[in-house]
Amino acid sequence: MYNQNRAELLAPAGSFESMKAAIAAGADAVYMGGSRFGARAYADNPDEEKFLEAIDYAHLHGCRLYMTVNTLVKEGELKELFRYLAPFYERGLDAVIVQDLGVLSFIKNHFPGLPIHASTQMTITGVYGAKALVQMGAERIVTARELSLEEIRKIHQEVPVEIESFVHGALCYCYSGQCLMSSLIGGRSGNRGRCAQPCRLPYEVKRGSRTLNSKKESYVLNLKDLCTLDLIPDMLEAGVYSMKIEGRMKSPRYTAGVVSVYRKYLDRYLKNGRKGWKVDPEDKRLLLDLFDRGGFSEGYYRQHNGRNMVALGEKPAFRQVNQRLFEELDRNYVQKEKQEPVSGVLTLREGEPASLALTCTTGGRTVSVRAEGTAAEKAQNQPLTAEKAEKQIKKTGGTPFSFEKLQTELGGNVFVPVQALNELRRNALDGLEREILNLYARQPASEKAALIEKKREIVKREPGEQKADETFRLAVSAETPEQLQAVLSQGKLAGGTGEPQTTGGMVLSEIAIDSGGFPGDMWREAAAAIHEKGLACCLILPHIFREEAIGYFERNLDRLKAAGFDGVIVRSLEEPVWLREKGISLPQFFDDTMYSWNHLALTEMRRMGAERITVPLELNSREIEAVYQGDLNAELVIYGHLPMMVSAQCVKKTVSGCDGRPEILKMKDRTGKFLPVKNQCVFCCNTIYNPSPLSLLQEEKAVRSLGIRNLRMKFTVENGEQAGTILTAFLDRWNEGGELRGDSGIFRDFTRGHFRRGVE
């Protein structure tokens, strides 16, 4: 049986009212966003004063409050972080939930003793990523929603870290933190808490000209909500400590209802274990009455993916309202003021100061205080009775406390005015509240110590050394052998790594092959062919490094070591730790999915072993310049169909079944755009690409001004002919001032991504 002392029910709060409802319904902890840096920018997040009040409210009722600081933070925003967090830290904030590695290091260095929880936005999918974050200072990891019970169990067994996993609520189609769909379509970034939820929209899936899904099943990315009531014993025994409910955009009523149901079953298991374990179907119906997207699923805990997890149809437009349930929730949790039980001793003796001693146990801590008031007088007429005194003292309405027990000691025929009794009660309760809150308060952090200096661990040019005509080193990524062959066949590669024809030109220096598109038995041959052209060769690791990927690379470990690669492209926090533990000392080049939006994050990447870092795709040119200018080891993507979603689900499996063969389908959206969808079977994941490729072909001057000399072109869904033509266009433009002919059609539909616009 799982250790009864190690379980937490964690509730969402998108507003102060939801926070109160969650605590009233039995939450052990609440997570909540403030006015900045939270991944639910459109929730009713409280301002500073209200958030401080929320911290006090939670602590008075024995609850913990975690603050979401789980967005990626721009360079210019770092200076605001200290003053934003300092008041909450000093008030006793219980933890922060973070996504940005720069923010993680900042909090660790400047707010001592403040626990750090690694957000699910960090895409932690296994032991190796958990190890990396523990080394950085995280005390808890929020697992990716896609993990199985066995993967969670392995983390619990091998890494000394608290585990938090989702038990109820909405599921994203994409691995959290890996989604750029909302960002690229409309500029609303999920990494900044502004997701427009394009996964809830209809799509027509096509293989060539044939449509594979019906209109009734067009919501192919719309996952059913998660409900794990039946899995509570399995999750706790697998090592989950904190059972997290999703729903910061939901109402206080929803929060109270879900928390109350999970509180019931969590307590039942903690008391009786599996003996007699059974979930009442009525409680599941209650949860559906609160919110129904098209039924529930148990998520990924027992299956890797599946059509049964997808709602497919549109959310019902009308549902019968369970008014009786709503009224009950409002009455018991939403509108009811929670009060903590207090024991007291009231002492009234002639000629002595009246006193009231109080004791309260909340949050596992017992606090006692004693207040004194006006001296009791000798009664001239009718003496004060214990009953009358207690009646007055017990009037605690409007305070966080109510008397569970009150003992009164009278000495002689005493008289105390009602006003004096009221003042005595008020002083005692105020003192009790202060003592409880003082248990959590911290000493002020030093603002001086938090001054941010750009002491970057990068290789920089000296002043005057940077020139507009410096040579650009171009790297090309290929996901298919056809693309690789087309690149190697270009006549312009004859010079290999030699100098271009004009100063300030571009020279192809590296080709990276994708580990999902090139089987292990092809690695050595491909590397040799690339080396024969005088180019460096790298292996691209997968976006998601879970059991499928780990098994694949361990089976091909000898091939990896013997292939002759000049480096590896790293795409997840798991991979650097795995490479180190397997004794692979190849240079590591961190891809754009290893987010480094500020110089502190860059420093953390260097400490992890990054020798080159690719600029994140959501920064605009001004933001890139602020972080990366002068960094000889930075790299900028100048071409590619950008991955908008990386998912454990598979569009192909949903609409036509799994045959184990990689394929590129197209999803037609409501605007008529066709989104390429590739299923990478070797790693059992799915990637949805932006229909219009990123192209900075026409941004040559702006790119030159950044001072970044490493550029990358990413070929993903292009055929060989397209890849060769596009590469030639860029080489011509940079080296000879040429442009692609307008009649080729290659660049008729393209995007500059966020290079100009950025995200909010």
Side-chain angles (χ1 to χ4, degrees):
M1 178 177 168
Y2 187 73
N3 184 345
Q4 297 182 27
N5 298 319
R6 295 287 293 170
E8 172 186 88
L9 182 59
L10 177 59
S15 67
F16 191 87
E17 291 71 26
S18 290
M19 182 270 302
K20 292 176 64 177
I23 293 174
D28 297 306
V30 175
Y31 64 102
M32 191 175 186
S35 59
R36 301 285 308 278
F37 306 115
R40 287 293 181 268
Y42 301 118
D44 186 16
N45 298 312
D47 59 18
E48 178 181 314
E49 182 179 352
K50 204 66 176 175
F51 201 98
L52 292 172
E53 185 182 342
I55 294 173
D56 290 348
Y57 186 93
H59 289 162
L60 288 170
H61 296 293
C63 191
R64 295 176 289 279
L65 186 66
Y66 307 144
M67 185 180 211
T68 57
V69 191
N70 56 342
T71 58
L72 298 177
V73 175
K74 298 179 181 180
E75 183 70 26
E77 297 169 334
L78 282 177
K79 62 181 181 295
E80 305 167 23
L81 193 57
F82 179 84
R83 292 187 181 182
Y84 174 73
L85 287 176
F88 311 126
Y89 169 78
E90 293 165 16
R91 199 65 154 247
L93 180 67
D94 294 283
V96 286
I97 305 170
V98 304
Q99 175 188 9
D100 192 301
L101 291 182
V103 172
L104 188 156
S105 67
F106 180 87
I107 292 172
K108 178 185 175 184
N109 291 332
H110 302 304
F111 293 100
L114 180 58
I116 300 172
H117 299 173
S119 170
T120 191
Q121 291 285 117
M122 283 192 173
T123 325
I124 300 305
T125 59
V127 168
Y128 302 107
K131 287 180 178 178
L133 285 165
V134 169
Q135 292 168 2
M136 293 180 201
E139 295 187 14
R140 178 186 296 187
I141 60 164
V142 187
T143 56
R145 291 174 173 90
E146 292 78 6
L147 294 198
S148 68
L149 288 169
E150 286 308 308
E151 286 171 310
I152 291 173
R153 190 188 311 277
K154 190 171 183 181
I155 295 173
H156 176 61
Q157 291 172 343
E158 298 187 26
V159 187
V161 67
E162 285 183 354
I163 296 175
E164 176 180 307
S165 299
F166 284 90
V167 295
H168 194 90
L171 288 172
C172 296
Y173 192 85
C174 182
Y175 281 95
S176 294
Q178 300 298 312
C179 183
L180 299 180
M181 195 170 192
S182 173
S183 174
L184 291 171
I185 290 175
R188 288 174 53 177
S189 172
N191 284 316
R192 299 280 286 177
R194 293 172 169 82
C195 179
Q197 296 192 320
C199 53
R200 307 302 182 191
L201 298 176
Y203 296 90
E204 184 180 343
V205 183
K206 300 180 100 37
R207 176 183 287 127
S209 61
R210 179 187 170 200
T211 299
L212 301 179
N213 61 322
S214 67
K215 289 185 178 180
K216 291 183 178 180
E217 295 185 341
S218 60
Y219 290 80
V220 293
L221 308 183
N222 184 28
L223 295 186
K224 298 176 183 178
D225 274 13
L226 174 69
C227 178
T228 65
L229 284 180
D230 292 307
L231 297 181
I232 286 176
D234 298 314
M235 294 184 70
L236 292 173
E237 291 169 10
V240 175
Y241 163 62
S242 181
M243 310 195 78
K244 185 172 193 172
I245 297 167
E246 184 277 338
R248 280 197 287 144
M249 299 294 288
K250 302 290 201 312
S251 68
R253 180 185 291 159
Y254 171 89
T255 302
V258 176
V259 169
S260 66
V261 172
Y262 276 85
R263 179 80 271 164
K264 170 183 174 181
Y265 287 99
L266 181 57
D267 287 347
R268 180 178 295 180
Y269 176 77
L270 294 177
K271 181 179 180 181
N272 302 317
R274 290 184 179 271
K275 183 179 179 181
W277 179 262
K278 185 179 180 181
V279 174
D280 186 345
E282 187 61 32
D283 286 322
K284 291 184 179 179
R285 283 193 290 270
L286 182 155
L287 293 173
L288 283 172
D289 283 341
L290 290 170
F291 189 84
D292 183 5
R293 199 187 299 275
F296 287 140
S297 81
E298 291 183 343
Y300 298 91
Y301 293 114
R302 286 176 168 166
Q303 64 182 91
H304 185 85
N305 56 32
R307 176 184 168 91
N308 62 308
M309 295 174 62
V310 188
L312 290 174
E314 190 172 4
K315 180 183 173 183
F318 174 79
R319 296 178 59 255
Q320 187 70 35
V321 173
N322 189 339
Q323 192 62 38
R324 181 179 177 182
L325 169 64
F326 293 172
E327 290 175 356
E328 180 181 343
L329 293 173
D330 288 346
R331 183 173 60 254
N332 292 338
Y333 305 118
V334 179
Q335 298 167 356
K336 186 177 181 180
E337 289 295 331
K338 184 175 175 61
Q339 291 183 306
E340 297 303 313
V342 173
S343 297
V345 177
L346 174 65
T347 304
L348 304 173
R349 293 190 176 92
E350 284 184 37
E352 297 180 10
S355 70
L356 179 59
L358 301 179
T359 299
C360 178
T361 299
T362 179
R365 301 180 179 187
T366 299
V367 177
S368 298
V369 298
R370 183 175 181 275
E372 289 189 348
T374 304
E377 304 171 6
K378 182 176 181 179
Q380 298 298 318
N381 296 310
Q382 188 175 2
L384 181 66
T385 65
E387 182 181 3
K388 288 183 178 180
E390 289 176 7
K391 182 179 180 181
Q392 201 62 34
I393 292 295
K394 286 183 177 179
K395 293 181 178 180
T396 61
T399 75
F401 309 106
S402 64
F403 278 96
E404 180 181 51
K405 178 182 178 182
L406 179 59
Q407 176 185 342
T408 302
E409 298 178 356
L410 298 179
N413 296 325
V414 299
F415 170 75
V416 179
V418 170
Q419 183 178 356
L421 289 174
N422 290 343
E423 184 177 3
L424 178 65
R425 180 194 65 232
R426 185 165 50 249
N427 290 340
L429 292 176
D430 287 348
L432 181 61
E433 182 172 333
R434 285 194 301 272
E435 285 299 313
I436 292 173
L437 297 180
N438 284 339
L439 294 173
Y440 299 89
R442 298 186 181 93
Q443 292 297 314
S446 171
E447 183 174 4
K448 183 178 180 181
L451 293 177
I452 299 173
E453 298 178 3
K454 290 189 178 182
K455 295 179 179 178
R456 310 184 196 179
E457 295 182 6
I458 61 176
V459 180
K460 295 189 66 174
R461 297 172 175 85
E462 295 299 324
E465 185 183 346
Q466 183 174 326
K467 300 178 182 179
D469 61 355
E470 276 189 321
T471 299
F472 289 87
R473 294 191 295 268
L474 177 66
V476 171
S477 300
E479 290 196 1
T480 67
E482 183 185 12
Q483 293 166 355
L484 174 61
Q485 187 58 43
V487 172
L488 292 177
S489 298
Q490 296 302 301
K492 293 179 182 296
L493 300 186
T497 56
E499 292 300 320
Q501 295 179 9
T502 60
T503 60
M506 175 191 291
V507 59
L508 182 64
S509 61
E510 175 188 307
I511 298 178
I513 61 172
D514 183 72
S515 56
F518 289 78
D521 58 6
M522 292 181 62
W523 293 347
R524 188 164 188 166
E525 180 183 351
I530 294 169
H531 287 151
E532 188 176 344
K533 293 287 187 178
L535 307 174
C537 177
C538 296
L539 182 69
I540 306 171
L541 301 182
H543 282 103
I544 304 299
F545 202 72
R546 289 177 62 188
E547 294 299 316
E548 296 83 4
I550 293 170
Y552 177 79
F553 283 101
E554 292 192 348
R555 290 192 300 273
N556 287 281
L557 191 58
D558 291 340
R559 287 170 169 163
L560 176 57
K561 293 179 178 179
F565 290 121
D566 301 292
V568 288
I569 309 294
V570 168
R571 287 176 164 178
S572 83
L573 285 171
E574 312 285 333
E575 291 160 357
V577 180
W578 182 84
L579 290 166
R580 183 174 66 247
E581 291 193 3
K582 296 302 175 182
I584 299 172
S585 57
L586 290 171
Q588 297 179 23
F589 307 140
F590 283 21
D591 208 353
D592 48 73
T593 52
M594 302 288 283
Y595 300 125
S596 48
W597 282 39
N598 53 70
H599 78 276
L600 294 179
L602 267 179
T603 298
E604 289 302 309
M605 299 291 183
R606 302 293 184 199
R607 289 173 180 167
M608 292 175 66
E611 296 192 19
R612 187 175 73 212
I613 295 176
T614 306
V615 174
L617 298 171
E618 291 183 287
L619 297 183
N620 63 34
S621 58
R622 294 182 303 278
E623 292 160 348
I624 294 170
E625 186 174 13
V627 182
Y628 291 90
Q629 186 174 29
D631 188 346
L632 295 179
N633 294 325
E635 177 182 74
L636 179 70
V637 177
I638 58 171
Y639 174 83
H641 284 270
L642 304 181
M644 298 201 298
M645 279 191 176
V646 180
S647 68
Q649 288 293 331
C650 179
V651 172
K652 177 179 177 179
K653 182 176 181 179
T654 297
V655 299
S656 63
C658 176
D659 59 11
R661 292 184 296 182
E663 184 177 359
I664 298 177
L665 302 177
K666 295 288 183 69
M667 293 197 319
K668 183 181 179 181
D669 68 13
R670 297 185 301 174
T671 70
K673 292 276 190 179
F674 288 88
L675 287 65
V677 187
K678 180 185 289 189
N679 54 297
Q680 289 109 340
C681 296
V682 66
F683 303 128
C684 199
C685 68
N686 198 89
T687 305
I688 301 173
Y689 295 94
N690 200 24
S692 303
L694 167 75
S695 174
L696 300 185
L697 183 67
Q698 307 297 332
E699 299 290 335
E700 178 190 358
K701 291 183 179 179
V703 171
R704 288 184 184 279
S705 70
L706 293 177
I708 296 175
R709 58 190 290 183
N710 298 298
L711 307 177
R712 178 171 293 276
M713 299 177 66
K714 294 187 174 187
F715 295 128
T716 53
V717 297
E718 296 85 356
N719 60 35
E721 181 182 357
Q722 291 170 332
T725 302
I726 294 165
L727 174 60
T728 298
F730 275 87
L731 291 172
D732 283 351
R733 174 75 176 186
W734 249 262
N735 292 333
E736 302 168 11
E739 293 189 38
L740 189 67
R741 295 193 312 274
D743 61 353
S744 69
I746 294 295
F747 288 115
R748 288 179 181 173
D749 179 24
F750 69 93
T751 176
R752 293 180 175 87
H754 289 292
F755 190 73
R756 291 295 186 187
R757 65 180 182 178
V759 295
E760 291 183 16

